[in-house]
Amino acid sequence: MKKWFYLILFFPVVVACQKDLKDDRKPMEVNVSFRPVSGNEPLEFGKTYINALGEDLTVTTFKFYLHNIRIGNYTLGNEDHYLADFNASPVFTVSGVVPESRYTEMSFIIGVDSVRNFSGAQTGALDPLHGMFWTWNSGYIMAKLEGHSSFASTPGNMVEYHIGGFSGEQNVIKKITLPLPAYTPQPGQPLSITVNADIMKWFGGESNISIAENPVCMTPGELAVKIAGNYYNMFSIETE
Amino acid sequence: MGRKYRILVWIVVAGGIFFACTKSDKQKAPTPMSLSYPLGWPEPVYDFSGNPLTKEGFELGRRLFYDGKLSRDGNFPCASCHQQFAAFATYDHDYSHGFDNQFTTRNAPGLFNLIWMTNFHWDGGINHIEVQPLAPITAENEMAETIENVIAKLKADPKYPGMFAKAFGDGEIDSRKMLLALAQFMGAMISSNSKYDKVMAGKDQFTYDQQQGYEVFKAKCASCHAEPLFTDGSYRNNGLIKNPFTNDVGRMNITGRSEDSLKFKVPSLRNVFLTFPYMHDGRFRTVTDVLNHYSDGITDSPTLDPLLKNKIPLTPEDKFYLLEFLRTLTDTAFVSDKRFSEQGEN
């Protein structure tokens, strides 16, 4: 008799303490995949592309930091920062479970949270071993695009855009919001979203970036802010 | 009733033994280490809050500091440029030697009292003590290594895995643990035992000449080289002609602001007689050269520090007394402290 008494007594506590969604809606799995492209085609490392100014570019490296990846108001994934490294894998995916609903937008922040740029030694995606931390001017490289171009007058015709800066006028950390195309949630089916990241957008947009004039950007400052202003617009959601 | 009680006692005892035995399989907690510094000093900027100072962490950091493995060819540990007998500067060198017969592009400063600094390097480009080692380790003209390679070498070493486990618990060796250990070692290097410090603590007295020098110092030098750290940590243009070989514009490299052109961090004058030559490029061999620069050598420029617009008038007597005072900043106890020295193989 006593056993049942305690069971009934503690049952609401157990149910209330569950960390499940405080929601009547069903859970819905979401996969957001970032894919590098050049204009209308998937980006291939080692292949040559032409930018809006007619300059050729062969890409060898493309990666950037993301955090706070959200569907509506719900954050996806368990890590606080992600490094989308397309040299490591052709697609970068973050997954999560959100209440089932017809969400109209998704968002994420491109870059590393400003505080993490001056809090000392970091690990995981923010480990300096990933080559995305300036050792002589402490701070993260938020986005990196490297390659070669016949228009680059640098040694080895190298093109190197290391875009960083986290404070004041040098800040390039930005929240990107993308409208989601309409969809109907299907029971038991994950919502899969593909976000294209178009490297061509680095060269045109708010400012025109010419490889001939600026084959390299290695420090925070005006040029980095200009290039970042362009690449904020490189994301688009792939529609079937 | 009695029998049930006895069984309960045995269950508790057995459980206790069980837990005690399983606990001994886990790593013993590291031994906390404390630092002391004189009364009246400001609060340190780095308080070890994310990196508790322990004996095991400190000793690991010390081993790393003296280990050539952190460099490409094994010849350039941190200690190759940061020599204890020179208060951890490079003795007698304007620039230091790096990998493949290369030189650094700036004079290596002494290492002490680092936990009171907000930024590191002559241009303040390093914003946190924990990430400073990344710069010399990866610089092609210094230690010329990659972080990846260093971590691989540490993992393959017979001693390091055990030392990392003792300091940071089980788990993989990663760059963060290495950097935390180095920060513990470097952070513990406090220089506060010079004659000057003893006088300030009421345990000693200046000679007449030293006292005169102290008066001149307070009147002519302390606005930038403020006590007790002997620097105010600011960036100033102290009237040096730009180095024509390195074209080093100092702080402007970091902030991008033209008003920061030719500004360099005010260095601490502690141990100054051990850390010659002087300035960001080691252009002055002796302290007298430096004093002569301030009295007669200042070059004007748009960013020259306002305090130096009229140079610093110093008579020959002033200079003599200043030298006597500055000698009292040499901390022999610090440079001979075996805790900061390379240990024998063990």
Side-chain angles (χ1 to χ4, degrees):
Chain A
M1 197 58 214
K2 258 198 179 175
K3 264 187 287 183
W4 290 114
F5 174 74
Y6 282 113
L7 208 63
I8 292 164
L9 187 66
F10 287 113
F11 181 72
V13 177
V14 169
V15 171
C17 287
Q18 278 185 51
K19 284 192 173 190
D20 282 352
L21 308 161
K22 294 179 166 67
D23 212 294
D24 288 332
R25 292 177 286 180
K26 296 193 261 325
M28 178 173 79
E29 194 187 318
V30 183
N31 299 316
V32 178
S33 298
F34 291 86
R35 196 170 70 118
V37 303
S38 175
N40 289 328
E41 45 178 300
L43 178 74
E44 274 176 55
F45 292 118
K47 188 169 168 186
T48 305
Y49 302 95
I50 312 290
N51 71 9
L53 297 162
E55 300 167 321
D56 60 282
L57 178 65
T58 309
V59 179
T60 54
T61 303
F62 181 38
K63 44 187 170 175
F64 49 83
Y65 277 114
L66 298 167
H67 65 282
N68 264 12
I69 303 163
R70 294 179 165 195
I71 298 292
N73 283 329
Y74 297 94
T75 307
L76 302 179
N78 296 320
E79 304 298 324
D80 50 45
H81 281 83
Y82 293 92
L83 178 60
D85 182 352
F86 300 112
N87 291 82
S89 98
V91 169
F92 177 77
T93 304
V94 179
S95 303
V97 176
V98 302
E100 188 185 87
S101 181
R102 286 186 167 87
Y103 295 97
T104 54
E105 67 179 31
M106 67 164 287
S107 66
F108 53 89
I109 300 178
I110 180 164
V112 175
D113 181 69
S114 61
V115 171
R116 305 297 283 274
N117 281 273
F118 53 86
S119 355
Q122 312 275 341
T123 190
L126 299 181
D127 193 317
L129 166 158
H130 297 302
M132 294 288 276
F133 187 77
W134 278 314
T135 57
W136 50 272
N137 183 359
S138 311
Y140 282 93
I141 298 169
M142 313 297 180
K144 184 188 267 194
L145 179 64
E146 291 179 341
H148 312 281
S149 170
S150 65
F151 285 80
S153 53
T154 46
N157 298 114
M158 68 172 192
V159 176
E160 282 189 14
Y161 299 123
H162 297 183
I163 310 303
F166 59 91
S167 79
E169 283 172 11
Q170 298 183 339
N171 185 21
V172 297
I173 305 163
K174 183 95 155 50
K175 180 174 178 182
I176 310 292
T177 306
L178 300 171
L180 288 176
Y183 63 90
T184 307
Q186 302 292 333
Q189 274 224 324
L191 173 64
S192 290
I193 300 168
T194 300
V195 180
N196 289 329
D198 185 359
I199 58 131
M200 278 304 152
K201 289 277 173 25
W202 284 51
F203 300 97
E206 269 181 42
S207 331
N208 277 334
I209 300 295
S210 150
I211 293 174
E213 274 172 41
N214 291 301
V216 164
C217 179
M218 288 296 211
T219 69
E222 228 180 277
L223 177 61
V225 169
K226 270 200 186 133
I227 295 175
N230 285 355
Y231 76 49
Y232 299 147
N233 298 314
M234 70 168 161
F235 297 105
S236 63
I237 295 187
E238 176 94 353
T239 46
E240 297 302 310
Chain B
M1 188 60 198
R3 188 157 175 264
K4 276 190 190 165
Y5 180 66
R6 257 182 290 154
I7 290 173
L8 188 63
V9 169
W10 277 113
I11 290 170
V12 169
V13 169
I17 293 170
F18 175 78
F19 282 116
C21 289
T22 51
K23 252 200 169 187
S24 69
D25 286 327
K26 293 197 187 139
Q27 201 58 246
K28 202 164 70 82
T31 322
M33 194 173 132
S34 63
L35 293 180
S36 64
Y37 51 88
L39 213 57
W41 279 36
E43 283 296 300
V45 167
Y46 186 69
D47 61 4
F48 298 96
S49 56
N51 180 20
L53 183 61
T54 65
K55 177 173 165 295
E56 291 80 1
F58 170 85
E59 288 174 3
L60 172 58
R62 176 174 62 200
R63 192 186 182 91
L64 291 165
F65 186 87
Y66 284 102
D67 197 338
K69 281 204 163 103
L70 272 60
S71 65
R72 190 188 297 182
D73 62 358
N75 287 323
F76 299 97
C78 311
S80 62
C81 295
H82 293 288
Q83 305 164 319
Q84 186 174 13
F85 53 87
F88 293 101
T90 309
Y91 197 74
D92 195 25
H93 278 66
D94 48 6
Y95 303 122
S96 310
H97 298 287
F99 176 73
D100 200 24
N101 287 317
Q102 298 175 86
F103 283 96
T104 58
T105 54
R106 289 197 183 132
N107 180 262
L111 302 182
F112 46 84
N113 301 341
L114 298 173
I115 57 177
W116 282 275
M117 289 189 184
T118 43
N119 298 315
F120 302 88
H121 288 190
W122 285 102
D123 58 15
I126 309 299
N127 64 20
H128 197 286
I129 191 175
E130 288 169 12
V131 297
Q132 188 283 334
L134 295 172
I137 289 173
T138 60
E140 279 299 316
N141 60 334
E142 299 187 34
M143 297 163 75
E145 214 6 323
T146 67
I147 301 303
E148 216 165 17
N149 283 352
V150 174
I151 300 302
K153 286 188 237 179
L154 298 181
K155 284 182 178 173
D157 181 273
K159 283 239 154 11
Y160 279 118
M163 292 182 81
F164 272 87
K166 285 203 171 79
F168 298 113
D170 296 315
E172 290 230 27
I173 296 177
D174 66 8
S175 73
R176 182 166 181 264
K177 289 177 186 172
M178 176 187 77
L179 295 171
L180 292 187
L182 282 166
Q184 289 194 33
F185 175 65
M186 293 191 292
M189 300 197 316
I190 295 180
S191 174
S192 60
N193 250 316
S194 61
K195 175 164 184 181
Y196 160 86
D197 294 296
K198 295 189 177 92
V199 171
M200 293 302 123
K203 297 190 176 137
D204 202 341
Q205 277 180 320
F206 284 135
T207 64
Y208 174 81
D209 294 340
Q210 291 166 351
Q211 182 66 42
Q212 294 303 112
Y214 185 42
E215 299 307 322
V216 175
F217 181 85
K218 283 189 286 190
K220 306 279 178 85
C221 318
S223 352
C224 302
H225 293 285
E227 302 168 79
L229 300 167
F230 288 87
T231 170
D232 66 355
S234 65
Y235 299 89
R236 298 175 191 258
N237 177 344
N238 68 338
L240 298 172
I241 298 170
K242 185 169 76 166
N243 186 306
F245 301 106
T246 59
N247 283 308
D248 194 347
V249 292
R251 185 78 178 138
M252 189 168 90
N253 278 325
I254 300 304
T255 64
R257 293 198 294 260
S258 55
E259 55 263 41
D260 286 335
S261 176
L262 299 178
K263 289 189 182 174
F264 296 88
K265 181 135 64 89
V266 175
S268 170
L269 296 183
R270 286 178 171 274
N271 302 300
V272 68
F273 275 91
L274 299 177
T275 61
F276 66 95
Y278 306 107
M279 303 294 146
H280 62 276
D281 54 8
R283 67 180 66 183
F284 295 134
R285 292 286 305 168
T286 67
V287 177
T288 300
D289 291 336
V290 175
L291 299 182
N292 291 339
H293 165 75
Y294 282 119
S295 63
D296 295 288
I298 303 269
T299 299
D300 198 5
S301 75
T303 59
L304 177 67
D305 197 86
L307 292 173
L308 297 173
K309 283 291 181 199
N310 297 313
K311 312 193 189 196
I312 303 182
L314 292 168
T315 64
E317 286 79 16
D318 289 339
K319 290 176 186 175
F320 169 75
Y321 290 134
L322 267 177
L323 293 179
E324 290 304 296
F325 167 69
L326 291 172
R327 282 185 224 285
T328 71
L329 301 181
T330 301
D331 187 348
T332 312
F334 172 67
V335 302
S336 56
D337 190 333
K338 290 270 178 281
R339 291 174 304 157
F340 303 126
S341 310
E342 185 169 15
Q343 307 296 302
E345 275 308 298
N346 52 358

